[in-house]
């Protein structure tokens, strides 16, 4: 048995196939690099890379890719006791197009994939109840049975006074329609203690200008301790009950933005697990967000999400200006 994980991440883990050259369409691409992915799994690995403790709960196919993914979790020091293998469904695949600016488009193979088939009876609730933070996205809300498992896991965490952390990670091609995505993502919005959204996601969810504070505040709810909006290379904005502000990002040579938000979230969750008083202490929060911005920036300088995740020393080097990326 590994030591209890302070942060438990729930949801999908899959293989991203990333073109070996940027700026070409999937059809034009001559080759693909295989990269482990899936936002909640990326976050779990980001946490251990920064010396935090994490576990991942989800399902992969009982196939070469699924076994490879579990091996990657283990080699990154992530507790994988909550991971199951499905003998009937494959591990999900995503083909990712990298546009010239490093931004991405996705094409998914999930019909259905193993991650969608996790049942509530298969949940490792013990892992969840002993955590400090339970982190999840919205992809696990799209289909049954994993949607019901997600709801049960969230309730178990809440009943055990575990902090609920939500990063919706909008992936429109996976939802039946944009309206269904908005509705599904908002359906659990008011449960979370901490929410991180990108500026694009604010725009999508509100259909208003994400740069305006009042647009962001329309997403606020009374249970929230912290709402973060990430603004890409510009940095991030933070909103709490008593203060709000922004923290600038770090300019780097961006190659692939896949997993940047996950590196940011993993870093911030490590800071919160260490010292939950950052919700009330603006100086501490700004320090944690500066560090999270550095982690997000570094993760864009290499292809793939998990291989590009920074260590504490990497992020400190960027912040101190002693390491260039």
């Amino acid at each position: 048995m590994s030591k209890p994980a302070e942060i438990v991440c729930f949801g999908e883990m899959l293989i991203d196939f990333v073109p070996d050259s940027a700026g070409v369409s999937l059809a034009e691409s001559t080759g693909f690099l295989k990269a482990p992915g899936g936002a909640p799994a990326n976050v779990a690995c980001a946490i251990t890379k920064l010396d935090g403790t994490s576990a991942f709960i989800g399902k992969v196919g009982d196939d070469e890719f699924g076994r490879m993914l579990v091996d990657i979790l283990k080699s990154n020091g992530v507790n994988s006791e909550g991971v199951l293998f499905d003998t009937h469904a494959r591990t999900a695949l995503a083909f990712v197009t990298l546009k010239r600016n490093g931004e991405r488009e996705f094409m998914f193979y999930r019909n259905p994939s193993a991650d969608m088939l996790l049942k509530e009876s298969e949940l490792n609730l013990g892992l969840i109840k002993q955590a400090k933070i339970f982190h999840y996205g919205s992809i696990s809300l799209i289909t049954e049975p994993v949607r019901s498992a997600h709801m049960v896991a969230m309730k178990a965490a809440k009943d055990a006074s575990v902090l609920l952390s939500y990063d919706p990670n909008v992936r429109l091609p996976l939802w039946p329609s944009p309206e269904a995505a908005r509705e599904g993502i908002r359906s659990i919005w008011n449960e979370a203690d901490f929410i991180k959204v990108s500026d694009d996601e604010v725009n999508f969810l509100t259909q208003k200008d994400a740069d305006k504070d009042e647009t962001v505040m329309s997403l606020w709810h009374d249970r929230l301790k912290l709402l973060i909006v990430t603004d890409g290379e510009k940095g991030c904005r933070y909103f709490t009950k008593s203060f709000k502000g922004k923290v600038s990002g770090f300019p780097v040579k961006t190659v692939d933005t896949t997993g940047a938000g996950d590196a940011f979230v993993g870093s911030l969750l490590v800071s919160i697990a260490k010292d939950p008083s950052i919700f009330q202490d603006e100086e501490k929060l700004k320090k944690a967000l500066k560090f999270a911005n550095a982690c997000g920036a570094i993760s864009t300088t290499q292809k793939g999400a998990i291989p590009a995740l920074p260590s504490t020393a990497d992020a400190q080097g960027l912040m101190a200006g002693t390491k260039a990326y």
Side-chain angles (χ1 to χ4, degrees), residues 234-291:
K234 294 201 298 257
C236 65
R237 287 172 278 161
Y238 58 89
F239 301 82
T240 73
K241 287 185 175 70
S242 27
F243 48 78
K244 62 177 190 184
K246 56 162 67 117
V247 179
S248 316
F250 294 87
V252 291
K253 293 188 186 79
T254 294
V255 175
D256 173 13
T257 58
T258 310
D262 304 326
F264 176 94
V265 169
S267 168
L268 190 52
L269 293 181
V270 168
S271 297
I272 293 168
K274 261 193 206 132
D275 184 1
S277 77
I278 73 172
F279 292 130
Q280 291 87 35
D281 186 323
E282 189 168 9
E283 281 318 300
K284 278 185 190 170
L285 178 63
K286 281 165 88 163
K287 212 170 141 189
L289 290 173
K290 189 180 175 189
F291 186 73

Side-chain angles (χ1 to χ4, degrees), residues 86-206:
D86 195 296
T87 49
H88 304 294
R90 293 272 188 233
T91 302
L93 308 178
F95 284 83
V96 186
T97 314
L98 291 181
K99 293 191 263 185
R100 289 196 196 284
N101 61 358
E103 285 298 335
R104 312 142 300 165
E105 286 168 357
F106 294 89
M107 182 166 83
F108 293 93
Y109 284 72
R110 298 169 90 230
N111 54 341
S113 53
D115 59 284
M116 301 157 75
L117 301 177
L118 180 71
K119 301 195 285 280
E120 57 180 272
S121 60
E122 297 172 318
L123 285 170
N124 186 328
L125 293 174
L127 269 180
I128 296 169
K129 289 173 181 166
Q130 52 75 38
K132 286 186 179 176
I133 300 171
F134 182 59
H135 176 74
Y136 47 86
S138 70
I139 289 171
S140 41
L141 298 172
I142 300 172
T143 49
E144 291 293 358
V146 70
R147 182 188 158 83
S148 292
H150 183 141
M151 303 307 279
V152 168
M154 258 174 48
K155 187 179 185 318
K158 197 172 166 182
D159 290 349
S161 303
V162 178
L163 188 96
L164 298 184
S165 163
Y166 185 25
D167 178 356
N169 254 305
V170 177
R171 296 284 179 267
L172 277 183
L174 295 179
W175 291 88
S177 67
E179 291 67 39
R182 259 181 227 108
E183 197 178 313
I185 288 163
R186 294 298 288 265
S187 70
I188 59 166
W189 197 262
N190 292 353
E191 302 294 324
D193 297 293
F194 162 60
I195 294 175
K196 173 254 158 190
V197 272
S198 70
D199 47 356
D200 292 344
E201 288 166 341
V202 170
N203 185 272
F204 170 72
L205 290 168
T206 62

Side-chain angles (χ1 to χ4, degrees), residues 186 189 197 202 205-206 215-221 224 227:
R186 294 298 288 265
W189 197 262
V197 272
V202 170
L205 290 168
T206 62
T215 304
V216 177
M217 286 311 287
S218 71
L219 295 170
W220 182 265
H221 66 80
L224 263 182
L227 174 63

Side-chain angles (χ1 to χ4, degrees), residues 66-79:
R67 287 187 286 275
M68 178 193 115
L69 291 174
V70 173
D71 285 345
I72 285 165
L73 288 175
K74 287 179 175 164
S75 67
N76 279 277
V78 176
N79 177 319

